[in-house]
Structures are given as C-alpha cells and as structure tokens.
C-alpha cells in the first residue's frame, strides 16, 4: 500500500509545484512507482512534467464526473513517473464541489482504487485552502509544507497547522505533517538565515533537515518540461531534492 503526500501551503509561489515535481522525479529515480496528481487548475505540475494542459483528460473529470482515476493517468517520459493532469476545467471544480454533499472525499475514493500501483503519490495543491486543497488533505496520509525562506515566511503557518488539525479531527484521522521544507533559500543572505532560524525555533521537530537552495537550474527546468534532475543532474538543486527524497523515505 503506497503513501499519499499532499504538498500544501495556501501561499502561492512558495515552491509547492517545484517540490511535487522534483521530489516525485527523485523518488521514481530511486526505483519506486510514483504518481503526481495535479490538483491545481494552473496545471504547473502537468506542464513541468512535459504534458500539454489541453491534451489530456484532467482530474476535473475524476472529481466532478466520477471518472476512475486510472482513466486519466498518463505516463511521463520519466520511467516509473505517472501523472494525473490538471486542465483549465479544474477551476470549475472549485465552484461545483461545494454544492455536492460529501464531495470532500472524492479524491480519496478515486485514489483508493489505485493505491496498490504506486508506492508514492504526491498531490500538488493550489494556493488556497479551498475545496481542491481540502480534497487533497482528506486523501493524504502526510502533508509536506514548503516554506519560502523570505520575510513573512511564518505568516500563515500557524493558521495552516490549525486547518490541518481540523481536517484531521473532522475528516481524516490518518493525516500527519511529514514536515516543513525551507525552499528558495539563499545562504548568502542574512535574511534567509534568520528565516530558517525562526522557522526551526517555532516548529522544532517539524522542519526537514534538507533545505532547498535558490537555484537557477530549478527555476529553468519547467520550461523544458523536465524535473531538475533530468535537466542538470549535478547542480545544487538536484542534490537537494535527492537529499529530500532520502529524508522523506527515512521518515516513513
Ligand atoms: P507554488 O507551486 O507554491 O506556487 P512554485 O513551485 O511554482 O510555487 O515556485 C514559484 C516559482 O519559483 C516558480 O517560477 C519556480 O520555478 C521558482 N522556484 C521554485 N523553487 C525554486 C528554487 N529552489 N530556486 C529557484 N527558483 C525556484
Ligand atoms: Mg503551484
């Protein structure tokens, strides 16, 4: 039975999609069957894995139409890495789902049919705590929270943890926090060092040892439709995501 990770933070631009795509690629590289489910209508994870967002059936059909997840899953060019793509139609799901009673569990039900197939499933969430993110958190076993190493990083984190506890209490008792992940860290600046110190002080035990550096290769890889390890295997960004994959696997 595989493990399902939601990559969530209601803030945009903190490295959720980058982490979903690159962690998935590293885990697949390590030999595990891996699935990315793109739960964001912006479809950045879909594009970042080289799939055109108009060219596929999307997760919308699964969440609203009841299509089996297996029917929308596609192979990527990377061995052992599959994706359930998002498309622009997914934006409508955020409006339609709240009108359907009990729709919080749609993704969980859809995943239950395929959990045997994938050792790791990563759910890339949109930048809000709306119905799509709730669906992901209800379907997940663990949450990874990317935190951008910038000013205001702590803002909103306490609220996010409250939301996670609420979902755990009301909808998904299995849910735990795998960890907070510092992203886009520029070790040369004092700001990044202070943010790291503050986040570790506020949430001891919860922050991954691995820190993702700000790295040009990570930023440019999506424009080639590739994870960073397939763009420049030996850059600092690739090293960091390999290290994160080991840490996530070790934490179980
Ligand atoms: P989110 O999914 O949380 O909105 P993204 O993963 O899309 O955030 O990241 C926001 C932007 O920052 C993207 O353009 C991405 O390529 C870039 N980015 C993310 N992580 C890094 C990094 N470690 N180094 C450089 N650029 C990064
Ligand atoms: Mg994103």
């Amino acid at each position: 039975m595989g493990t399902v990770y939601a990559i969530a933070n209601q803030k945009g631009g903190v490295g959720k999609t980058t982490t979903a795509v690159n962690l998935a690629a590293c885990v697949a590289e390590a030999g595990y069957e891996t699935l990315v489910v793109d739960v964001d209508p912006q479809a950045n994870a879909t594009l970042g894995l080289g799939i055109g967002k108009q060219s596929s059936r999307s997760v919308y059909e699964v969440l609203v139409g009841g299509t089996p997840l297996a029917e929308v899953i596609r192979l990527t060019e990377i061995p052992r890495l599959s994706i359930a793509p998002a498309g622009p139609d997914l934006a409508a799901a955020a409006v339609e789902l709240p009108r359907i009673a009990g729709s919080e569990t749609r993704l969980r039900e859809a995943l239950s049919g395929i959990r045997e197939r994938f050792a790791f499933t990563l759910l890339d969430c949109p930048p809000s705590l709306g119905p799509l993110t709730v669906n992901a958190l209800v379907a997940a076993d663990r949450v990874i929270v990317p935190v951008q190493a910038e000013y205001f990083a702590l803002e909103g984190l306490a609220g996010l943890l409250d939301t996670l506890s609420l979902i755990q209490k009301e909808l998904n008792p299995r849910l735990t926090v795998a960890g907070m992940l510092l992203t886009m860290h520029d070790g040369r600046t004092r700001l990044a060092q202070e943010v790291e110190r503050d986040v570790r002080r506020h949430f001891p035990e919860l922050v991954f040892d691995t820190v993702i550096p700000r790295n040009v290769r990570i930023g440019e890889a999506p424009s080639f439709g590739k994870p960073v390890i397939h763009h420049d295997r030996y850059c600092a960004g690739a090293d960091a995501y390999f290290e994160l994959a080991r840490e996530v696997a070790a934490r179980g």
Side-chain angles (χ1 to χ4, degrees):
M1 191 82 154
T3 307
V4 179
Y5 292 84
I7 319 293
N9 186 331
Q10 72 275 26
K11 274 195 197 178
V14 298
K16 289 182 293 297
T17 300
T18 303
T19 296
V21 165
N22 289 301
L23 178 57
C26 291
V27 167
E29 174 89 7
Y32 299 101
E33 283 298 326
T34 305
L35 172 67
V36 172
V37 181
D38 192 346
V39 192
D40 185 351
Q42 293 181 67
N44 291 341
T46 302
L47 296 167
L49 286 170
I51 308 285
K53 60 176 161 181
Q54 306 289 359
S55 65
S56 323
R57 305 179 66 183
S58 102
V59 169
Y60 171 80
E61 295 183 31
V62 175
L63 292 178
V64 177
T67 302
L69 190 56
E71 287 183 24
V72 311
I73 289 176
R74 298 186 40 168
L75 299 172
T76 68
E77 286 183 358
I78 298 157
R80 295 177 292 279
L81 181 51
S82 299
I83 178 152
D89 55 358
L90 192 55
V95 180
E96 289 166 273
L97 285 174
R99 297 188 182 154
I100 309 168
S103 64
E104 300 87 357
T105 56
R106 289 268 166 116
L107 186 58
R108 174 160 76 195
E109 285 150 21
L111 280 169
S112 69
I114 53 122
R115 279 184 78 149
E116 312 289 299
R117 259 174 76 188
F118 298 100
F120 285 86
T121 298
L122 303 181
L123 313 175
D124 185 28
C125 294
S128 75
L129 292 173
L132 290 169
T133 298
V134 170
N135 248 273
L137 294 173
V138 171
D141 303 304
R142 313 216 201 299
V143 195
I144 293 173
V145 181
V147 177
Q148 189 180 359
E150 290 289 348
Y151 198 59
F152 293 136
L154 283 166
E155 203 102 327
L157 280 183
L160 177 58
L161 292 181
D162 288 345
T163 303
L164 295 176
S165 323
L166 189 68
I167 289 186
Q168 187 192 42
K169 208 158 57 188
E170 304 283 330
L171 294 163
N172 180 8
R174 287 171 309 159
L175 188 69
T176 59
V177 179
M180 294 181 177
L181 175 67
L182 285 156
T183 64
M184 291 177 251
H185 186 275
D186 185 344
R188 294 165 305 180
T189 68
R190 195 199 298 188
L191 176 63
Q193 291 163 16
E194 285 174 2
V195 170
E196 177 174 3
R197 194 196 55 211
D198 287 354
V199 174
R200 289 193 190 279
R201 187 183 292 155
H202 271 83
F203 305 102
E205 316 280 299
L206 226 45
V207 186
F208 285 110
D209 294 337
T210 306
V211 171
I212 308 298
R214 185 172 282 287
N215 177 262
V216 173
R217 297 301 204 196
I218 291 180
E220 66 193 17
S223 66
F224 298 93
K226 287 181 178 177
V228 69
I229 63 167
H230 296 279
H231 173 55
D232 179 353
R233 191 174 187 82
Y234 301 104
C235 69
D239 287 346
Y241 275 107
F242 274 128
E243 188 186 330
L244 177 66
R246 284 192 293 273
E247 193 177 356
V248 166
R251 285 196 178 197

